[in-house]
Amino acid sequence: MIETLAANPALLTVIVFIFGLLVGSFLNVVIYRLPVMMKRAWRRDCLEMLEQPAEAGEEVFNLTRPRSRCPQCGTQITALQNIPVISYLVLKGKCGNCKTPIPKRYPVVELLTGIASAVIAWHFGATPEMLAALGLTWALIALTGIDIDHQLLPDSITLPLLWIGLALSLGHPQVGTHALFIDPVTALIGAMAGYLSLWSVYWLFKITTGKEGMGYGDFKLLAVLGAWLGWQMLPLIIILSAVVGAVVGIAMIVLFRHQASKPIPFGPYLAAAGWIALMWGDRIVETYLQVSGLR
């Protein structure tokens, strides 16, 4: 089957697209539920620290329980109502019971995940690189959604990604049998440089202005991208994320009257820049060097 998919990129792309839609549906669950799970855990820890009794009657709440339901009327969502994108269109974007509008973000995340997954399948083919790139992409989409909603990049996602990136570098030909992305030294330097670069900017900004310009989750996310892609890609990622962040931030202030004093999460721009670097980073850098006459 692997040989068949490797010989038929179009079939592989279609299959990965469909699977990506299903993963996107699960990512919607992660984006909504993981922050709630974290807040409940923090509350339990605080009660324990204050030697207060635990809250009674709290229902089990994780990524699998309880079953998905309408937040307005509490009606459980059936399997037929949970088909990615199609169910949203059939239901006309409303709850099947109370007709409360369903946020457009749900089909957007599903489509985004499906399309990004298909692009990766077409780009990498049926290889270990494809599987690794899919995992990183899905995690970046989840982090983006959570950061937009809560200005939070959970350690439960970023730290495993960091270690996975470093572990994958062990598959480099220098120490293994198959090239995944980069060698271990490049990955290790990338992780350190990614974290310390934003950490330095954070403290420089805080010392000069007395304000916090970004969160520690941003440091960890750039460390993740450095571990996966190498320190050579960090300048490109930082430039891309800064440019996109500036353009989007100014547009939100001008067009949507976003208050300049209200923080805008930086994680989504890092994630987008990192994904672009994953897919076309080498080509972008090579083109820049040729155009600038440096090569």
Side-chain angles (χ1 to χ4, degrees):
M1 182 176 180
I2 295 177
E3 293 178 355
T4 301
L5 293 176
N8 194 333
L11 177 61
L12 173 67
T13 301
V14 171
I15 292 176
V16 173
F17 171 74
I18 296 173
F19 187 71
L21 292 177
L22 298 174
V23 173
S25 181
F26 174 72
L27 293 183
N28 277 318
V29 175
V30 175
I31 292 169
Y32 172 72
R33 295 196 180 195
L34 184 57
V36 176
M37 293 163 54
M38 294 173 64
K39 291 177 181 178
R40 292 190 177 191
W42 294 338
R43 189 184 305 118
R44 290 193 295 268
D45 291 342
C46 290
L47 290 175
E48 183 179 352
M49 185 178 299
L50 296 173
E51 299 182 351
Q52 298 293 321
E55 296 179 344
E58 186 177 48
E59 68 172 346
V60 176
F61 190 89
N62 52 42
L63 296 181
T64 59
R65 298 176 57 190
R67 286 181 55 183
S68 298
R69 57 195 178 193
C70 174
Q72 184 66 29
C73 65
T75 302
Q76 286 190 351
I77 298 175
T78 65
L80 291 178
Q81 294 174 335
N82 209 24
I83 301 174
V85 181
I86 296 177
S87 294
Y88 182 88
L89 296 176
V90 171
L91 294 171
K92 298 180 180 180
K94 298 179 181 180
C95 171
N97 182 58
C98 67
K99 305 305 178 183
T100 298
I102 301 172
K104 293 182 176 63
R105 188 184 68 184
Y106 287 97
V108 168
V109 169
E110 293 166 353
L111 271 177
L112 174 63
T113 307
I115 293 173
S117 300
V119 171
I120 287 172
W122 184 264
H123 183 82
F124 289 103
T127 62
E129 287 93 335
M130 183 196 75
L131 298 178
L134 285 174
L136 176 61
T137 299
W138 298 337
L140 291 177
I141 292 174
L143 288 170
T144 296
I146 293 173
D147 204 23
I148 291 174
D149 286 348
H150 302 278
Q151 295 182 15
L152 175 70
L153 294 170
D155 287 350
S156 56
I157 298 179
T158 55
L159 294 185
L161 274 182
L162 175 61
W163 291 112
I164 291 173
L166 294 174
L168 286 175
S169 69
L170 299 177
H172 190 270
Q174 292 181 358
V175 293
T177 58
H178 193 90
L180 285 171
F181 290 105
I182 54 177
D183 62 90
V185 174
T186 302
L188 184 59
I189 295 175
M192 293 188 296
Y195 188 93
L196 292 175
S197 58
L198 288 188
W199 178 87
S200 301
V201 172
Y202 167 87
W203 279 107
L204 180 62
F205 184 81
K206 186 172 183 178
I207 291 172
T208 55
T209 66
K211 300 178 181 179
E212 296 184 358
M214 62 183 67
Y216 277 66
D218 297 321
F219 314 162
K220 299 169 188 175
L221 179 54
L222 191 56
V224 167
L225 297 175
W228 280 73
L229 306 178
W231 61 268
Q232 298 92 335
M233 286 295 165
L234 292 178
L236 174 64
I237 294 172
I238 293 174
I239 292 172
L240 285 175
S241 60
V243 171
V244 174
V247 172
V248 173
I250 293 173
M252 291 179 63
I253 293 173
V254 174
L255 300 178
F256 302 101
R257 298 181 180 180
H258 183 89
Q259 296 180 0
S261 59
K262 187 176 180 180
I264 299 175
F266 189 52
Y269 308 125
L270 280 176
W275 192 80
I276 293 172
L278 168 70
M279 300 297 298
W280 305 288
D282 291 334
R283 188 179 305 174
I284 293 173
V285 172
E286 184 67 26
T287 301
Y288 170 77
L289 293 176
Q290 291 178 354
V291 171
S292 62
L294 298 176
R295 179 173 297 179

